[in-house]
């Protein structure tokens, strides 16, 4: 598994302040190490601010195609404020939020638990991810298409195959 901080490469940044970006990467890496992995519910203001700096830098360490080519692996999300805002009023927890990428394919697995543990399991989806020629996002965009969706009500450590 990789932390999201591994995606930013300050030495290749062409936007923003490279020192500020390097500091953000270091702070996020320290946060993930301190909490022992990715956990949305352990996100601090500093970790959230570090992710914001990284996103605003628009640094992907090269071309979009190069970024996608080296992104194969399992990624767990450690900061996702909108997920917290959506889940808190209902008392639902989502842990982990995991994306697996390989050869242009993507799979999302999110473990959920309703209050009291009455219902729990995995929400999963799969599809494809590829660079696109669209130019409405500063010339760098991806097509992210989820084609299959399923729920696995087994709360094991590994989601079902779907």
């Amino acid at each position: 598994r990789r932390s999201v901080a591994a995606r930013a490469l300050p030495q290749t940044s062409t936007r923003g302040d490279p020192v500020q970006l390097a500091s953000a990467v270091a702070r996020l890496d320290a946060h993930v190490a301190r909490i022992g992995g990715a956990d949305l519910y352990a996100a601090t203001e500093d970790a959230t601010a570090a992710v914001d700096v990284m996103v605003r830098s628009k640094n992907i360490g090269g071309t979009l195609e190069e970024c996608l080519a080296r992104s194969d692996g399992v990624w767990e999300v450690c900061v996702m404020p909108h997920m917290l805002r959506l889940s808190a009023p209902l008392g639902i927890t989502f842990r982990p939020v995991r994306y697996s990428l390989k050869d242009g394919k993507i799979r999302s697995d999110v473990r959920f638990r309703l209050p009291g543990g009455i219902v729990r399991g995995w929400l999963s989806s799969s599809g494809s991810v590829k660079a696109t020629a669209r130019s409405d996002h500063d010339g760098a965009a991806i097509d992210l298409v989820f084609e299959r969706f399923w729920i696995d009500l087994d709360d094991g450590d590994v989601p079902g195959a779907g």
Side-chain angles (χ1 to χ4, degrees), residues 27-109:
R27 292 187 347 253
L28 189 60
D29 278 343
H31 167 76
V32 170
R34 187 172 42 256
I35 65 170
D39 184 346
L40 299 179
Y41 300 93
T44 63
E45 285 184 32
D46 186 55
T48 302
V51 168
D52 186 53
V53 167
M54 293 165 62
V55 170
R56 281 186 293 118
S57 80
K58 298 182 182 180
N59 177 11
I60 59 173
T63 68
L64 189 56
E65 291 80 6
E66 292 167 338
C67 179
L68 288 174
R70 68 174 179 274
S71 293
D72 282 2
V74 178
W75 300 79
E76 288 192 357
V77 179
C78 63
V79 175
M80 192 179 251
H82 68 281
M83 182 78 82
L84 296 176
R85 284 191 299 276
L86 291 171
S87 66
L90 302 174
I92 300 171
T93 58
F94 298 104
R95 181 186 300 133
V97 175
R98 185 179 296 152
Y99 296 96
S100 301
L101 287 90
K102 184 169 181 163
D103 299 328
K105 301 293 181 194
I106 186 168
R107 177 173 164 153
S108 171
D109 295 297

Side-chain angles (χ1 to χ4, degrees), residues 117-139:
I118 297 168
V119 179
R120 56 189 180 204
W122 292 88
L123 304 172
S124 299
S125 61
S126 64
S128 62
V129 58
K130 64 181 179 179
T132 182
R134 289 179 22 207
S135 61
D136 55 337
H137 295 290
D138 294 332

